[in-house]
Amino acid sequence: MALTVLPHAVNRYYLLLVETVIIFGVVAPGLNILAGYTGLISVAQAGIFAAGAYSVAILTTEVGLSFWPAALVGISLGAAIGLILGIPAMRLGHFYFALVTLGFALVIKDWLLEWAGLTGSFSGIVRIPKADVLGYRFTALDDHYLILAVGALALFFTHDFTRTRWGRSFLLVRDSEVVAQALGVSPFRTKLLSFLIGSVFAAAAGTVYPYVTQGSTRSCSPWRSRCSS
Amino acid sequence: MRIEDIVQLILSGLVTGAVYTIIGLGYNVVYSATNVFNMAQGELLMLGMMTGVLFFVTLSWPVLVAVALVMLFVGAVSVLGDQLSVRPVARSATSLTWILSTIAFALIIRNVAVLIWGSEPLPFRQILPVEPIRFLGLRLAPQGLLVIVSAIHGKALVALAQDREAAELRGIDFRRMSTLAFLIGGAIAGFGGFILAPLTLPSVAVGELYTFKGFIACAIGGLGNNKGTVFGGFALGVIELFGAQIVGNNYRTTAAIAVLIAILLIKPTGLFGQRALRQV
């Protein structure tokens, strides 16, 4: 509740701070599902977050899509990365998984720099059009509510997650893959699903991030204490 | 491409690969004693570079004094990492929390280093003459040769430490073994950073990349296997450079991760690794 009236109470700087916290607060539950429930440690979320952010930034400026389809593309891209990276990485066991995801985060950084025509390299992308609904163009205040809504959705999906069928199977796989297999729960599919969920959360958080920075710059991640360069 | 160019490229790849080997050996010595991979290994190498700048360039102390101090200091930081990021979480054998905690320690090292040295690359003084050794139309900087030789001899050093651990296994307590392993692992990384520094521009930003590449060296050869790590490191350096020739220099890391995934999918225990039983 306090967060909804916040824009009227504090100045822009603190608002940005709060919005950044909310956005990383969307990545974190995804990571919690991964590391906390399934027991997988992934460092790739920074890269997937960047994929979401750059999708929105590029599709709205270069292609001229509006925010909603661009965000959908960004989230799908995040999910696709989760699958493509997850399938080989998941076969390798927990420790290699962490390593491969670290490699992915490094590789994404190289690519974003390399594709300067699309990503603007170090300077990033500026003047990203605001989201709109039926011709109504969002203001900075609406951006705040958009970000809040994404945060609320993330909380909605993850609260009580351990009581759901998926949640329970994740915990089971973490505690013992053998028992999970004996009970008919495929560890591979369960881990892949949890990585997929984690990726979607990260990408979704990424899609609204350009509205905080007003110019999608290279990925900042919850794993790193500052924007990496 | 002429044959000399190819051989020249292999030589350059071996120099890069030697650095990966040195980091990989640091991983191994810690791993064989504690079953933990110290994800701060690359940052320790960076710290070796930066303290090298301090002792050797800024204070311009003699090279042997500087290198000894660098190894001692980085070794001490590594032991601190053991105390702060490994001991407290290593209570249960199956837990992988140390991945996160050692990454966290790596971040602390990097951020403190940024505070001290800033994020701009710093100049380094040459240790050996810069005039390249010429042989059959090939060129190799003496410093590059030093790095390669160190990587190969580093294996012997690590093996010595590991043998001693094995010998003392029955009498000595785990904590002292672990401290010794972290000390040696850190000293190796510091030494690697110091001798690498004249070949590149020392910068606080390089750590993460070396953490990853050094680890690939281990993973290619089989975790904890020194012979495999030496092979893996050199192979990675050469493959990466050829990959960069084909797809462009900025895709070196991409080439490296592709090689890693391919090898692990074919042989999950690494090329030199022994078959492992799956733990239940």
Side-chain angles (χ1 to χ4, degrees), chain B residues 44 47 68-82 179-191:
Chain B
L44 292 174
L47 206 58
L69 281 175
V70 164
M71 288 173 74
L72 204 65
F73 179 79
V74 180
V77 171
S78 175
V79 170
L80 185 70
D82 177 28
T179 303
L180 179 71
F182 271 89
L183 184 70
I184 293 174
I188 291 172
F191 179 76

Side-chain angles (χ1 to χ4, degrees), chain A residues 50-75:
Chain A
Y54 273 96
S55 297
V56 167
I58 292 169
L59 290 177
T60 53
T61 52
E62 302 283 325
V63 185
L65 283 181
S66 91
F67 168 75
W68 306 106
L72 201 64
V73 171
I75 294 171

Side-chain angles (χ1 to χ4, degrees), chain A residues 120-140:
Chain A
S121 202
F122 281 108
S123 35
I125 298 166
V126 289
R127 280 191 287 281
I128 292 159
K130 298 271 186 196
D132 57 63
V133 175
L134 302 171
Y136 168 73
R137 199 151 272 266
F138 274 31
T139 60

Side-chain angles (χ1 to χ4, degrees), chain B residues 33-117:
Chain B
T34 62
N35 272 337
V36 160
F37 274 94
N38 182 12
M39 302 296 274
Q41 208 68 37
E43 304 295 343
L44 292 174
L45 181 112
M46 177 276 286
L47 206 58
M49 281 184 171
M50 303 320 277
T51 47
V53 169
L54 174 68
F55 295 132
F56 188 56
V57 182
T58 315
L59 300 173
S60 57
W61 286 349
V63 62
L64 287 179
V65 177
V67 81
L69 281 175
V70 164
M71 288 173 74
L72 204 65
F73 179 79
V74 180
V77 171
S78 175
V79 170
L80 185 70
D82 177 28
Q83 297 288 343
L84 290 179
S85 67
V86 179
R87 292 283 169 82
V89 297
R91 290 206 181 88
S92 74
T94 52
S95 154
L96 285 169
T97 318
W98 51 264
I99 299 180
L100 287 180
S101 58
T102 51
I103 289 178
F105 188 68
L107 282 174
I108 295 172
I109 295 179
R110 189 189 317 160
N111 285 297
V112 171
V114 170
L115 286 180
I116 299 173
W117 288 286

